[in-house]
Amino acid sequence: LISAESQCGNFHDALTFYHKMVEVNVCPSCYTIVTLLKACTKMKDIVAGQVIHSDIAEMGLEEDPYVVNGLIDMYAKCGSLCEAREVLHEMPDRGVVQWTTLMAGYIEHGPYPEALLCFEQMQMDNLVADSFSFTCAVRACGLLGCLEKGMGLHEELMLKGFEKDLFVGSSLVAMYAKSGSLIEAQEVFDQLSNRDIVVWNSLLTGYAEYGLLQDALRCLE
């Protein structure tokens, strides 16, 4: 019932049913808990999320990776990055998914340098970055104007064969375009076999911002 209400967008009703479940001492499954955390995220209701976090501790579910990732995601998307980071650091076996979720939160809400620090700490944990974590790191470089760091990441991406991934490629185009390295932005763009509106807009905006209007118009043809 909770899942059905949540899928229909009735997030308040889902939470009401959950509280009734707790009142009659019915223990929810990990799936139910994660569904409720997603409902809190959709509503941006950090207080409800904190209540569920407290319940998670009481039920002894703090070490379940599925539940913990739901907590990190909820806190990160609601802008409570300190709490998201605390949850991550309390994990005995934090992985790439958890680090990337936190990175995405910093990119959405700031401060952006923390996203790069997360990427570096993840690598210090000897975790192998995937395309999503690389995408977050490159986006952070673009937002911060860290071209040299971004170029270093680009080299790593090429070695791992990720540079033709649409999300990775789009982040690289945006990073180079924002820094005015439009030749590099165009080169990455040309190597992409699939291009969506986001990557087209990144390239077009870069040309327009640096006064290359003919090149910007060419993107519209």
Side-chain angles (χ1 to χ4, degrees):
L1 187 56
I2 289 174
S3 178
E5 292 290 355
S6 187
Q7 287 177 1
C8 293
N10 301 323
F11 304 122
H12 288 288
D13 290 337
L15 285 168
T16 299
F17 284 125
Y18 166 70
H19 292 305
K20 289 180 178 179
M21 176 189 293
V22 172
E23 286 174 5
V24 295
N25 295 318
V26 176
C27 187
S29 67
C30 292
Y31 175 80
T32 298
I33 291 293
V34 173
T35 298
L36 290 162
L37 289 171
K38 288 179 180 177
C40 295
T41 302
K42 292 288 185 181
M43 295 186 295
K44 300 296 182 185
D45 191 339
I46 191 66
V47 174
Q50 289 170 330
V51 170
I52 294 174
H53 187 179
S54 178
D55 291 344
I56 288 169
E58 289 184 11
M59 290 183 285
L61 297 176
E62 287 182 303
E63 293 188 5
D64 185 287
Y66 187 51
V67 170
V68 173
N69 197 57
L71 274 173
I72 295 170
D73 185 63
M74 184 271 297
Y75 280 129
K77 287 181 178 174
C78 288
S80 296
L81 278 305
C82 288
E83 289 176 283
R85 193 171 191 115
E86 285 176 9
V87 173
L88 182 140
H89 280 297
E90 288 172 1
M91 285 187 74
D93 297 308
R94 50 185 177 262
V96 173
V97 173
Q98 288 78 31
W99 276 113
T100 305
T101 301
L102 185 59
M103 288 171 66
Y106 281 121
I107 288 170
E108 183 177 357
H109 299 284
Y112 305 135
E114 290 295 328
L116 286 178
L117 285 175
C118 286
F119 187 77
E120 292 168 1
Q121 289 172 5
M122 183 182 73
Q123 291 182 313
M124 288 173 64
D125 283 350
N126 294 318
L127 296 170
V128 179
D130 60 13
S131 60
F132 294 106
S133 49
F134 267 113
T135 296
C136 287
V138 171
R139 286 184 64 193
C141 289
L143 291 166
L144 291 165
C146 298
L147 180 59
E148 186 175 347
K149 173 69 175 177
M151 292 176 72
L153 289 172
H154 190 179
E155 290 180 6
E156 287 187 59
L157 286 163
M158 292 179 67
L159 290 173
K160 293 179 180 295
F162 287 150
E163 77 276 7
K164 293 185 180 180
D165 177 275
L166 176 59
F167 294 107
V168 171
S170 182
S171 64
L172 284 169
V173 171
M175 179 198 69
Y176 281 126
K178 285 179 181 178
S179 68
S181 301
L182 294 164
I183 293 175
E184 288 81 1
Q186 184 70 58
E187 287 176 352
V188 174
F189 178 88
D190 290 340
Q191 290 174 1
L192 293 173
S193 55
N194 295 309
R195 301 162 186 152
D196 62 6
I197 189 67
V198 175
V199 71
W200 274 105
N201 282 340
S202 294
L203 186 63
L204 187 156
T205 302
Y207 280 127
E209 285 183 352
Y210 286 91
L212 301 172
L213 301 183
Q214 290 297 323
D215 290 302
L217 291 171
R218 181 167 48 81
C219 294
L220 298 172
E221 295 176 355

